[in-house]
């Protein structure tokens, strides 16, 4: 894909030198890409907090016909909280681990997202990007598994891979991030702490919001911005890891460079979205190294463009792009990357 067109047919990814490793690519990046700057990090927290506050002020103060714009702005600004916590999870926000954990928990509390469970599961995604049966982010179902589902299971999966893609993050949040029993050792203790902290916060904040503002306050001040946040979470994750020519590979065939450099997508969004979400869309260098802070991603991306140019996966966010993905990228196919539901049921 290019920044101005949408690929309509599966294409082969660039051939990758089997001797090329991620450290070779990392050595081509400027050293400044990996340098933490506490001023930039904390300035982003301050500006993001002001934007969230401005959004809530707008929800409270604006006339009813402007509320959708206020919900969209506030939910997008809340997504910025997640992106900053995302850096905390990768330890690229601050030098001290305890500070990353403190800031990460604090920023995710308004989103009701447990920090440690997300951090641990997300790191699995980074280590095994596009590895079949291992990557835990938006991996397409294999036809055999899809066929084994009951009617409701198939219907639900069709929705999440189709026009209801924007709700998929909610299911991921609800089913994966509060079950500390699936973790072991110290990780289980950390995940339990994060989950119970979120549940305690929700148990206090949501009833208090209901008592003080009624059902409309709960709907307008919490639910709608929270839904916008999950729209962006779902969209970012889907777009940055899904295209008709991006293949998931079995472990025996998986190549780290092909997956991280050529199998992740840079997508250009409206600039206000990129500003509020701290350039989360500059995604390829983030998969080359999670140690790159968000404010250095564009520098790293420019360096990768100079090295690899048009071989990188790029696109522009649009309804045409989402239509393409949700029409075609449904089930895993070993030869043509994806098979649509229509093609599967026609066989």
């Amino acid at each position: 894909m290019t920044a101005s067109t949408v690929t309509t047919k599966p294409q082969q990814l660039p051939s990758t030198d089997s001797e090329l490793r991620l450290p070779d690519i990392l050595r081509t990046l400027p050293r400044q890409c990996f340098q933490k700057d506490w001023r930039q990090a904390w300035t982003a927290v301050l500006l993001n907090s002001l934007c969230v506050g401005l959004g809530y002020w707008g929800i409270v103060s604006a006339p009813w016909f402007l509320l959708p714009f206020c919900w969209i702005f506030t939910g997008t600004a809340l997504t910025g909280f997640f992106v900053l916590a995302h850096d905390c999870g990768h330890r690229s926000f601050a030098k001290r681990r305890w500070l990353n954990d403190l800031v990460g928990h604090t920023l995710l509390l308004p989103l009701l997202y447990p920090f440690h469970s997300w951090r641990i599961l997300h790191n699995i995604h980074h280590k095994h990007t596009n590895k079949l049966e291992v990557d835990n982010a938006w991996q397409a179902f294999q036809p055999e598994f899809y066929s084994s589902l009951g009617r409701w299971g198939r219907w639900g999966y069709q929705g999440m891979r189709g026009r209801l893609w924007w709700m998929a993050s909610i299911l991921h949040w609800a089913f994966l991030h509060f079950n500390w029993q699936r973790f072991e050792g110290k990780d289980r203790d950390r995940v339990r702490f994060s989950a119970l902290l979120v549940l305690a916060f929700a148990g206090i904040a949501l009833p208090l919001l209901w008592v003080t503002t009624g059902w409309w306050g709960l709907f307008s001040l919490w639910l709608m911005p929270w839904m916008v946040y999950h729209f962006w979470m779902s969209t970012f994750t889907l777009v940055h890891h899904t295209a008709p020519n991006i293949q998931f590979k079995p472990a025996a065939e998986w190549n780290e460079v092909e997956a991280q450099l050529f199998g992740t997508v840079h997508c250009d969004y409206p600039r206000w979205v990129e500003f509020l979400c701290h350039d989360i869309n500059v995604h390829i260098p983030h998969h080359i190294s999670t140690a790159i802070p968000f404010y250095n991603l564009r520098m790293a991306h420019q360096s990768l463009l100079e090295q690899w140019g048009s071989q990188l996966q790029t696109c522009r966010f649009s309804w045409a792009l989402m239509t393409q993905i949700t029409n075609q990228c449904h089930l895993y196919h070993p030869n043509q990357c994806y098979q649509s539901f229509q093609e599967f049921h026609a066989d």
Side-chain angles (χ1 to χ4, degrees):
M1 294 182 290
T2 67
S4 58
T5 62
V6 178
T7 304
T8 57
K9 296 182 180 179
Q11 298 177 355
Q12 292 296 319
L13 288 175
S15 60
T16 306
D17 185 346
S18 60
E19 299 301 320
L20 187 64
R21 297 290 183 265
L22 280 187
D24 301 323
I25 300 172
L26 287 172
R27 281 191 287 270
T28 70
L29 298 177
R31 294 175 62 88
Q32 300 94 306
C33 292
F34 305 95
Q35 293 178 357
K36 298 182 179 72
D37 185 330
W38 68 269
R39 289 184 180 85
Q40 292 193 68
W42 285 103
T43 297
V45 173
L46 176 60
L47 289 175
N48 206 148
S49 300
L50 291 174
C51 288
V52 170
L54 177 64
Y56 282 124
W57 174 82
I59 292 173
V60 172
S61 306
W64 65 268
F65 55 85
L66 291 181
L67 277 178
F69 299 99
C70 295
W71 291 332
I72 292 170
F73 178 86
T74 307
T76 307
L78 286 169
T79 308
F81 274 0
F82 175 85
V83 178
L84 296 174
H86 174 266
D87 266 31
C88 293
H90 288 305
R91 312 309 190 190
S92 58
F93 180 86
K95 294 181 180 180
R96 298 185 181 277
R97 177 169 295 187
W98 70 265
L99 185 55
N100 282 305
D101 288 348
L102 176 62
V103 176
H105 278 95
T106 303
L107 292 175
L108 289 189
L109 272 182
L111 307 173
L112 305 186
Y113 226 104
F115 175 73
H116 279 309
S117 58
W118 168 81
R119 177 182 63 81
I120 294 166
L121 292 175
H122 184 66
N123 283 329
I124 293 174
H125 158 65
H126 271 274
K127 187 176 181 180
H128 302 284
T129 303
N130 294 357
K131 186 183 291 185
L132 194 64
E133 298 183 344
V134 182
D135 189 356
N136 55 17
W138 289 89
Q139 182 176 161
F141 284 2
Q142 297 184 56
E144 297 79 10
F145 178 74
Y146 172 75
S147 298
S148 71
L149 298 175
R151 178 186 300 178
W152 288 105
R154 290 195 297 271
W155 179 85
Y157 180 71
Q158 289 171 14
M160 297 305 102
R161 277 282 171 177
R163 297 297 189 263
L164 297 179
W165 89 85
W166 49 275
M167 294 184 62
S169 173
I170 299 176
L171 296 180
H172 193 271
W173 163 80
F175 288 106
L176 291 182
H177 293 287
F178 291 90
N179 181 10
W180 53 80
Q181 297 298 329
R182 65 198 305 264
F183 299 87
E184 297 180 354
K186 292 183 178 179
D187 282 346
R188 178 178 294 183
D189 295 335
R190 295 186 182 104
V191 171
R192 182 190 296 114
F193 170 80
S194 294
L196 292 177
L197 180 66
V198 166
L199 292 173
F201 178 83
I204 296 172
L206 296 184
L208 184 62
L209 187 62
W210 173 280
V211 169
T212 55
T213 65
W215 71 267
W216 175 250
L218 190 65
F219 174 84
S220 187
L221 288 167
W222 175 72
L223 181 61
M224 293 308 295
W226 189 75
M227 292 292 290
V228 172
Y229 155 71
H230 276 288
F231 167 87
W232 287 121
M233 282 290 291
S234 300
T235 301
F236 289 148
T237 309
L238 179 64
V239 169
H240 297 165
H241 296 286
T242 310
N245 61 326
I246 291 181
Q247 178 68 290
F248 278 75
K249 294 289 186 68
E253 303 174 17
W254 185 78
N255 179 281
E256 186 177 32
V257 171
E258 181 178 300
Q260 308 290 17
L261 182 61
F262 301 127
T264 53
V265 179
H266 170 95
C267 183
D268 290 315
Y269 291 81
R271 191 66 191 104
W272 68 272
V273 175
E274 296 177 351
F275 172 77
L276 289 175
C277 297
H278 308 294
D279 290 335
I280 189 64
N281 58 298
V282 187
H283 204 64
I284 299 173
H286 176 61
H287 268 266
I288 298 302
S289 174
T290 58
I292 302 174
F294 71 90
Y295 41 82
N296 290 334
L297 289 173
R298 289 190 180 275
M299 180 196 307
H301 183 70
Q302 183 59 41
S303 179
L304 292 174
L305 282 174
E306 293 171 0
Q307 294 288 328
W308 303 99
S310 61
Q311 291 179 295
L312 300 182
Q313 300 280 314
T314 62
C315 64
R316 186 175 299 279
F317 179 68
S318 66
W319 180 246
L321 175 68
M322 300 313 300
T323 299
Q324 177 199 33
I325 292 174
T326 56
N327 281 350
Q328 298 181 31
C329 302
H330 297 156
L331 298 168
Y332 167 77
H333 193 284
N335 299 321
Q336 61 190 50
C337 299
Y338 286 98
Q339 184 180 36
S340 70
F341 294 125
Q342 184 177 5
E343 291 170 332
F344 174 78
H345 290 294
D347 290 344

